[in-house]
Structure formats: C-alpha cells, structure tokens
Amino acid sequence: MADDKEFETDLLWEKAKAVYLSTLISQEEKGQVERYFSMITSVKRNGNELTIITANQYASDYLKNNYSERLKKCLELLSPEAIVLSFDYEKAATPIIQPIRLAAAAPQTQVKRSTFKSTIPLNDEYTFSNFVSGASNSFAIAAAKAVVANPGRMGYNPLFIHGGTGLGKTHLMQAIGNELSVKNPEMSICYLTAEEYLNEYINYMKEGNIHKLREIYRSVDVLLIDDVQFFQKGKEIQEEFFNNFNALKDAKKQIVMTSDVAPKNLPASIEVRLISRFEGGMLHEIESPNYETRLAILKKKTENTSVRIPDFALEYIADNIKSHVRAMEGALATVEVFLSANPSLILDKNILNQILDDFIKKEVTYRKTTIEEIQKACAEQYGITVEEILSHERTQTLVTPRQLAMYISRKYTSKGLQEIATVFGKKHATVINGVKTIQQRLSNEPELKSKLEDILASFGYKLSDAMD
Ligand code: ADP
Ligand code: MG
C-alpha cells in the first residue's frame, strides 16, 4: 500500500517534470533546469502536500525561488486535487558551501574542510578526454589544461573563453571543474551561470543576508561562471561581484568565465572596470570546427554507443551539418535511434538522406534566411513597418515585434551577434537584452508563443528548431 502510494507520487512527479521541461524552448534553460532536478533526492507526499527534497539548501532555495510556481501549475494539470508544494533539503547529507570556510576560519580548529563537489553538479561527460581538439579550440584547451595544472597562476586568472553557441564553452569549463575535483577532491569548486549568480544575489538580498553570500563566494577555490553576457544588472550587484572577484583573485583562487562575445563586446550595461578585469587574464576564442574536427567529434561521440554507425554516415553528417556541434549531435542521435529500431537494416546514402532530411533542411534554412526577411515577417505579423522595427522608438507596440525579430534572428539563423546588431542598427547589448526578454516572456505568455509559431511557420520552422 505504502509502496503504491510512493509509486504514484513518483509517477506524478516524473510527469510534472516532463510537462515542465516540454514547456521550455531553449536548450540552455532545459539543461539548467535538469541540473537542478538532478539534485532532487526524493519526493514525499502527505495528503495534498508534496515535498521536494534536495541534496542541499542551495538547490532547495533555488528550486523554490525559481521554479515553484510553474511546477505547481504542472502538478495541478496532472492531479485532480489542489497541491501544496513545499521544498526541503537533506540536513545531514551533502554539505552546502557555507560551512566550508566558516569552519576553517574558526581560529583554534584544524578542521579538515568538508568537501563538496560543486554547488550545482557538473556533467561528468564533460571531460578533457571527451573533448576533441582542433584548430578551432586548441588554444582554449591548452589554457584550460594550464589552469588545471596550476589553478590561480599568474596570467591565467581569470581564464575567459568566448565563442558562438554550441561550440563547447560549457563543456570545456566543466572539464576544468571535473578534472580539478578528481585531482584534488578537497577543492571547493563552484559552477554556475551568471544568471544564477544574479538570482542568488537577489534572493540573499531580499533576506538581508548579503554578507552570507559574500562568505560563500569568497570561500571557494575555483569559481566557474558560465555565460557572463547575461551579467547585466544594477550597480550594486556589479560592485558586489567586482569585490568578490578581486578578493578571489588576490587569494590566488582561480576564476573561469565563458561568454558568447569577447569582453570588449559585452553589453554596455556591464561596467568598464569589470570588463577590464575580465580581460586581465587569459582570453581565448573557440571558433567553429572545420570538417576534420567535426568528423573527429562525431567519432568521439560514437565511441560508446551500442550501435555501430558506419563511417560514411559520420562523414555525411560532418559534411552537411556545420552550424554547430549541438546540431551534429542531434543528427547523430537520430541515426542512432533509427539504427537501433531497425537493426537488420543496411544503411545507405539514400536512407541517410531521408532520416536526416529535417536536419539538412534546417541547416540550409539557417544559412539562407536573412535578418531582413525576419524583420519583414515580424513587422507584417504586428501590422507595423520595417522602418518602425528599425526605429529607436520604445513604445511597447514596437518593442515587442522588434525584440521578437531579434530573438528569431538569434535563435533560428546562424548569424552572429555582431551581424544582427548591425542589421538592426543597435548595440550588442540591446540585441542580447531583446533576446533575453522574449525568452522570459515566452514561458508565461501563450499568445506571444503562438505569434512566434506563426512567424516561424512562414519560414518553414517549428519552435523546436531553435539553435540552443
Ligand atoms: P556552448 O556552451 O559553447 O554553447 P556546449 O559546451 O554546451 O556549447 O557544447 C554543445 C555540445 O557540443 C556538447 O554536448 C559538447 O559536448 C559538444 N561539443 C562541442 N565541442 C566539442 C568538442 N570539441 N569535442 C567534443 N564535444 C564537443
Ligand atoms: Mg554553454
């Protein structure tokens, strides 16, 4: 009986998670949510109260502050009764980051520092040995390895890796974290996105606990901050980050950052002194891989698959899918699924062409659709003119279609940020901000989502065709 109940609770929770994930468009956001979900250790139900228990307080607070409302909606869709959702964490289990230096700082104690791997779990597939080196990334890899060999060393702090989406920045950054934690399990490694950092700041601020957050960040040995292009917020938080950054650097603690643009192209709302700090260490770009590297990546990704994929299929993918590594992975997975479902089939070029048709078409459209066409489609959809899209007028009736056009240009073409900004006659930051705003609005504005779907349909895209 109890088992049945547990099973039902688990099932309800699994379904709610699946519904929630299906509402997310961006692969990045999906990845982020999944990382937090992976920190849930159990789900308990008592009457109509459902309690989500996580490995530590950090994850619990984060889930509560960021996902509880939407999760509750998903649960209510699936359950006939109203559900009260609460969050808790395992008090005795994985220590959270706070106790580490607080204990070590107590004067008389020689307490061995408790260990924690990372505030947010790293993906253990993201290792150096799984990362293929090529002309597009060899300098970035060398710098990342140098950081592992000697974290905090002069000239390499911070390490700043930039480059287009889906080219391996997160992989490489997490490889540093993974390798360091194997080499030195005592080391406290903190990985989070700039967006999570901002959320944390706001949460601690609300609770009047900013000193606590300061202690947390200053107690880590390695701080990995992903996607710093989103680091746009008020003066205070930048000041706080600036001070934490300096404190870590002075203490020779390693900082690694990634961004989709070089520091000098970061949004103007990020303070100059921060940008000059970001530039003060080692700077490397990851570029798009060439054919040989693409093929080597595909070979690497098939090393551990259960079905054998013939070389000509890998070559075909490497030859046709060039926009980014993530798209290649999607094509590869499709071939894999197809082969395992049809084990007796002998794959040939024709069949391959058919099963990868969608991917190839998308590639072609990615390369073909122009920003101007997107601006035109958005203007038409909203009954305004392209001139109005390009204007600097900031009434909401113009801002939404303008930002939507930026969003589509960014997510559904392989155009770079620089090019988009130029065609819109706006700054980088304005484009980044527009894309971000639409992304946030899409998760709770179904009308906007359906407008987007209509516009995408006119180019032959689906929502799920987004680049990341
Ligand atoms: P980014 O953070 O730059 O957007 P990710 O690190 O998320 O990109 O990489 C996207 C996917 O491509 C990941 O699954 C990653 O493992 C894979 N990938 C990218 N570059 C390489 C590489 N050089 N070798 C192996 N896998 C790679
Ligand atoms: Mg990334």
Side-chain angles (χ1 to χ4, degrees):
M1 182 67 195
D3 281 354
D4 275 0
K5 260 189 143 168
E6 254 174 51
F7 176 73
E8 267 176 37
T9 307
D10 286 346
L11 193 64
L12 173 66
W13 172 240
E14 286 305 323
K15 284 188 187 162
K17 270 197 312 195
V19 169
Y20 184 28
L21 288 171
S22 73
T23 62
L24 302 175
I25 299 173
S26 122
Q27 210 49 47
E28 229 120 57
E29 195 179 356
K30 257 191 194 142
Q32 181 169 320
V33 173
E34 274 168 352
R35 272 191 286 117
Y36 281 97
F37 283 171
S38 74
M39 295 186 82
I40 296 172
T41 52
S42 60
V43 179
K44 299 229 154 48
R45 184 162 182 177
N46 191 356
N48 69 343
E49 182 174 3
L50 198 78
T51 309
I52 312 278
I53 299 160
T54 50
N56 63 42
Q57 187 183 358
Y58 178 91
S60 178
D61 288 351
Y62 196 86
L63 282 168
K64 185 163 117 203
N65 293 327
N66 294 284
Y67 305 129
S68 66
E69 265 172 41
R70 282 186 263 168
L71 277 174
K72 194 163 174 289
K73 278 193 190 136
C74 295
L75 282 164
E76 283 172 355
L77 272 177
L78 297 162
S79 163
E81 311 148 45
I83 301 257
V84 179
L85 188 61
S86 65
F87 293 84
D88 203 353
Y89 55 96
E90 305 208 2
K91 311 284 185 301
T94 334
I96 48 164
I97 180 171
Q98 283 96 324
I100 302 172
R101 284 302 153 96
L102 297 187
Q108 73 284 39
T109 46
Q110 286 250 316
V111 194
K112 202 170 156 227
R113 279 169 44 198
S114 30
T115 57
F116 81 108
K117 269 202 104 171
S118 157
T119 33
I120 301 161
L122 299 172
N123 181 338
D124 55 20
E125 302 265 305
Y126 286 172
T127 57
F128 282 111
S129 54
N130 285 340
F131 199 71
V132 173
S133 162
S136 53
N137 59 22
S138 57
F139 288 109
I141 297 178
K145 288 191 170 163
V147 160
V148 169
N150 202 346
R153 80 195 259 182
M154 280 273 288
Y156 283 75
N157 203 11
L159 170 62
F160 193 104
I161 301 168
H162 64 100
T165 181
L167 296 181
K169 301 181 298 294
T170 298
H171 186 139
L172 195 55
M173 171 181 249
Q174 293 206 7
I176 297 176
N178 276 324
E179 181 106 354
L180 279 173
S181 72
V182 169
K183 257 181 67 178
N184 186 355
E186 297 276 289
M187 204 168 231
S188 54
I189 298 162
C190 179
Y191 166 86
L192 76 179
T193 63
E195 202 170 359
E196 288 163 345
Y197 187 96
L198 295 177
N199 288 337
E200 278 301 277
Y201 179 89
I202 293 162
N203 292 337
Y204 277 81
M205 188 75 172
K206 273 193 208 143
E207 290 162 10
N209 264 340
I210 208 67
H211 61 283
K212 214 166 159 189
L213 189 71
R214 198 166 299 151
E215 275 163 19
I216 296 176
Y217 285 119
R218 294 190 189 182
S219 72
V220 301
D221 295 314
V222 180
L223 182 61
L224 309 172
I225 300 208
D226 211 350
D227 289 324
V228 296
Q229 71 272 17
F230 291 128
F231 205 91
Q232 310 180 55
K233 268 280 149 64
K235 247 182 137 41
E236 286 144 57
I237 178 158
Q238 293 198 24
E239 165 99 31
E240 179 69 23
F241 184 68
F242 182 76
N243 292 332
N244 289 343
F245 183 105
N246 290 341
L248 281 177
K249 199 174 161 182
D250 289 347
K252 300 207 164 38
K253 303 299 184 191
Q254 181 70 44
I255 303 160
V256 183
M257 304 190 190
T258 72
S259 157
D260 66 356
V261 288
K264 66 175 188 314
N265 292 329
L266 278 166
S269 53
I270 300 183
E271 283 182 30
V272 176
R273 59 179 181 161
L274 259 184
I275 290 177
S276 78
R277 280 290 185 283
F278 294 176
E279 284 173 329
M282 180 66 66
L283 207 66
H284 283 294
E285 181 173 4
I286 299 188
E287 293 175 77
S288 296
N290 60 18
Y291 175 81
E292 280 70 34
T293 312
R294 291 201 296 277
L295 190 59
I297 292 175
L298 287 165
K299 289 204 165 134
K300 188 94 216 169
K301 299 274 172 196
T302 48
E303 267 173 10
N304 299 315
T305 50
S306 48
V307 284
R308 211 193 86 75
I309 300 185
D311 283 349
F312 82 86
L314 301 182
E315 286 157 15
Y316 183 86
I317 298 176
D319 207 19
N320 288 287
I321 299 181
K322 305 171 182 172
S323 55
H324 55 65
V325 181
R326 215 175 270 140
M328 283 195 334
E329 283 180 348
L332 189 62
T334 306
V335 176
E336 240 176 273
V337 169
F338 190 82
L339 286 181
S340 33
N342 306 284
S344 56
L345 185 114
I346 312 226
L347 196 64
D348 64 26
K349 267 229 160 99
N350 247 333
I351 303 177
L352 200 57
N353 216 335
Q354 278 173 30
I355 49 180
L356 294 181
D357 188 43
D358 272 356
F359 285 92
I360 310 290
K361 268 207 217 112
K362 206 191 287 181
E363 273 292 314
V364 175
T365 0
Y366 274 153
R367 272 176 268 141
K368 269 198 352 216
T369 314
T370 66
I371 301 171
E372 287 85 353
E373 283 164 349
I374 294 170
Q375 290 171 340
K376 191 159 164 266
C378 290
E380 273 169 15
Q381 180 75 21
Y382 280 84
I384 60 168
T385 63
V386 171
E387 289 67 40
E388 283 173 312
I389 291 243
L390 295 174
S391 73
H392 290 268
E393 212 173 304
R394 296 179 57 179
T395 53
Q396 202 52 42
T397 43
L398 300 185
V399 169
T400 299
R402 182 181 302 140
Q403 291 185 329
L404 199 55
M406 290 172 175
Y407 180 85
I408 298 173
S409 306
R410 185 83 176 119
K411 298 282 179 179
Y412 295 87
T413 75
S414 50
K415 307 280 186 290
L417 200 54
Q418 182 67 60
E419 189 178 350
I420 300 173
T422 310
V423 179
F424 275 86
K426 303 278 184 304
K427 296 201 181 97
H428 269 102
T430 314
V431 178
I432 292 179
N433 186 43
V435 173
K436 179 99 191 289
T437 308
I438 296 293
Q439 187 139 316
Q440 280 165 349
R441 288 180 56 190
L442 283 172
S443 51
N444 40 29
E445 290 181 41
E447 323 80 65
L448 184 65
K449 201 164 164 180
S450 85
K451 278 237 155 99
L452 171 63
E453 272 172 317
D454 287 348
I455 300 169
L456 289 177
S458 70
F459 292 107
Y461 295 139
K462 297 187 293 297
L463 271 184
S464 55
D465 292 336
M467 294 279 265
D468 57 74

